[in-house]
Amino acid sequence: MSFNKYKSHVEEGDTAIVYTGFDSMFPVTVNRGKTTQTKYGAIKHDWLVGHEFGAKYQCSKGWVYILHPTPELWTVSLPHRTQILYATDIAMVTMQLDLKPGSVVCESGTGSGSLSHSILRTIMPNGYLHTVEFHEKRAQTAREEFKMHGFEDIVTVYHRDVIEEGFPIENEADAVFLDIPKPYDVIPHAIKALKRSGGRLCSFSPCVEQVQRTCLALHESGCFEDIETIELVTKPHNIRKTTLPIVNLGLSDPEVREALCGKAKGNPILPFAYEAGNCLPVGDVIMISENSNENTNSRRKQTLKRKQDWNDKNEVSRDKSAGQMSKRAGNDDSLSKEEKEPSTPTPPSFTKNLFSTRTCSSPKEIYGHTGYLTFATYCDL
């Protein structure tokens, strides 16, 4: 089985990824006569042999997909022996270390092999990975997995303490990656392992105190430049529908409508709103629910109350206007009937003219911090 070469059909002994959902996947080693239980029912391995990767397997209570393994799928489905790096950090590491086919990489420590699989896929076919793990059982398990996944020719797993013994090579590595509690103590060993022509170093640390001591050690060594620290945090955005009222521009007034939208001016400010006329909103706007059948009576009561409040508010102004007009009428009999009678203010009309848009909103609290990535460029002085 190879993680870097795709094949169409499942064979006995292959590693397959059982997909039961976007956030629910797990690996199985296909062997005839065996059965794997899932939440949707049992999977018989005899059926898998000879079928294509990506096939849909019907269980007793549902169905699953049988996927070809890749480093990305392995990262989200591997058995955890330690905390691991996920795709967001892995992508940044492989890019910043300038990994490519033929690169020689030193890694400490191996852990569950999440990053190691992506490094191996990137440096194939003629690159090489020297990965160090101080825990003997984890080192042995990693060797078995790399062999099972077809990487045994381009990787060696060493059981050793990198702080005490350093890396197994000198002046050969194009890149060094450190994922240990005290990366600052390994800087001298990293300098010995890197090529004299230069290379890149990356240190992954979950605590900023580790980052500070690592940056200080890199600076004091006098062999590194372009030292920078990056924190990658996944920030999900929620898509929601927002309903907004149309702005009242007073277009119900013919003179205003003509001034802003009239075609006679040659270059109207609102060329497409001329025909709208009185259909455009005037005064306050009531937000209409997406389900127009809900709260209809409540909205009707609110509308009537607003109109009544408007009439009550202007009752005094109408009486005052009537008194003033009476005085004027007594002094000037030439006033017309329209001028003598006060004009009744028109209450604001209410409109259903709303438009909707979709916007992105981020949560108030962002979760997902994994650690800090510190990068530096080696320069042989």
Side-chain angles (χ1 to χ4, degrees):
M1 185 65 194
S2 177
F3 272 47
N4 57 81
K5 294 181 180 178
Y6 182 83
K7 62 180 182 181
S8 58
H9 291 78
V10 182
E11 299 177 3
E12 187 173 6
D14 285 350
T15 298
I17 306 297
V18 178
Y19 176 96
T20 60
F22 178 76
D23 55 350
S24 178
M25 289 177 275
F26 61 92
V28 295
T29 301
V30 179
N31 291 306
R32 291 185 180 273
K34 286 191 174 183
T35 301
T36 298
Q37 294 291 336
T38 72
K39 61 182 180 181
Y40 297 120
I43 301 176
K44 296 182 178 180
H45 290 204
D46 290 343
W47 182 91
L48 300 180
V49 177
H51 277 78
E52 293 184 353
F53 279 106
K56 184 177 180 179
Y57 185 89
Q58 185 67 43
C59 301
S60 59
K61 298 180 181 180
W63 48 266
V64 299
Y65 283 113
I66 309 301
L67 305 180
H68 191 286
T70 64
E72 291 77 16
L73 292 178
W74 183 250
T75 292
V76 297
S77 62
L78 59 80
H80 285 217
R81 301 181 289 273
T82 60
Q83 292 292 328
I84 67 172
L85 268 70
Y86 289 93
T88 304
D89 291 311
I90 291 174
M92 181 61 70
V93 170
T94 55
M95 181 188 73
Q96 289 284 354
L97 292 182
D98 194 24
L99 300 184
K100 53 187 176 297
S103 296
V104 178
V105 183
C106 289
E107 178 192 22
S108 177
T110 309
S112 301
S114 173
L115 175 65
S116 304
H117 279 76
S118 294
I119 291 177
L120 290 169
R121 195 261 309 272
T122 304
I123 65 176
M124 287 196 68
N126 53 349
Y128 208 89
L129 173 63
H130 301 273
T131 179
V132 179
E133 174 59 51
F134 82 99
H135 193 280
E136 184 176 4
K137 187 176 180 180
R138 287 201 294 261
Q140 181 59 34
T141 305
R143 292 191 191 100
E144 296 172 357
E145 285 181 350
F146 291 142
K147 183 177 181 180
M148 185 185 303
H149 299 162
F151 291 127
E152 69 273 12
D153 295 334
I154 59 171
V155 62
T156 300
V157 181
Y158 302 86
H159 171 230
R160 62 197 299 173
D161 186 347
V162 70
I163 296 179
E164 297 294 333
E165 305 177 52
F167 291 103
I169 61 174
E170 292 186 8
N171 305 330
E172 295 183 27
D174 296 293
V176 172
F177 177 81
L178 306 175
D179 185 5
I180 56 178
K182 298 181 179 180
Y184 38 84
D185 290 339
V186 189
I187 300 303
H189 298 304
I191 294 174
K192 293 180 181 179
L194 288 167
K195 290 181 178 179
R196 290 293 172 261
S197 58
R200 292 280 286 171
L201 178 141
C202 176
S203 173
F204 176 85
S205 300
C207 301
V208 72
E209 291 81 8
Q210 295 170 305
V211 174
Q212 291 172 339
R213 297 190 61 177
T214 302
C215 291
L216 182 61
L218 291 170
H219 179 72
E220 291 178 346
S221 69
C223 298
F224 291 91
E225 58 184 15
D226 300 331
I227 303 173
E228 63 176 352
T229 299
I230 299 174
E231 180 187 17
L232 301 177
V233 179
T234 302
K235 185 176 181 180
H237 283 74
N238 301 319
I239 308 299
R240 61 186 180 87
K241 185 178 180 181
T242 303
T243 304
L244 302 173
I246 300 175
V247 178
N248 177 18
L249 300 178
L251 296 178
S252 59
D253 189 334
E255 295 183 359
V256 176
R257 186 165 70 253
E258 179 65 26
L260 295 178
C261 314
K263 299 180 180 179
K265 291 184 176 297
N267 187 19
I269 299 176
L270 300 174
F272 300 104
Y274 186 83
E275 292 79 5
N278 295 328
C279 296
L280 290 174
V282 178
D284 297 334
V285 176
I286 292 180
M287 302 299 291
I288 303 301
S289 172
E290 293 183 9
N291 188 352
S292 59
N293 295 327
E294 297 179 358
N295 302 323
T296 303
N297 294 331
S298 176
R299 289 198 303 273
R300 186 180 296 111
K301 291 179 181 179
Q302 292 177 6
T303 302
L304 295 175
K305 185 177 183 303
R306 291 190 181 186
K307 290 184 177 181
Q308 183 62 40
D309 291 343
W310 175 271
N311 293 330
D312 295 341
K313 182 179 179 181
N314 290 276
E315 186 68 30
V316 177
S317 62
R318 286 198 296 269
D319 295 340
K320 187 180 295 184
S321 299
Q324 293 176 353
M325 292 299 295
S326 298
K327 292 181 180 180
R328 293 178 58 189
N331 298 330
D332 188 358
D333 295 334
S334 63
L335 293 176
S336 63
K337 182 179 180 181
E338 289 78 6
E339 291 175 328
K340 293 180 181 180
E341 295 180 356
S343 59
T344 302
T346 303
S349 62
F350 298 89
T351 180
K352 296 182 180 180
N353 289 339
L354 304 174
F355 68 92
S356 298
T357 183
R358 295 193 178 275
T359 60
C360 294
S361 61
S362 60
K364 295 181 179 180
E365 297 184 19
I366 304 299
Y367 301 95
H369 168 77
T370 55
Y372 302 94
L373 295 171
T374 300
F375 297 97
T377 301
Y378 176 68
C379 53
D380 184 14
L381 302 177

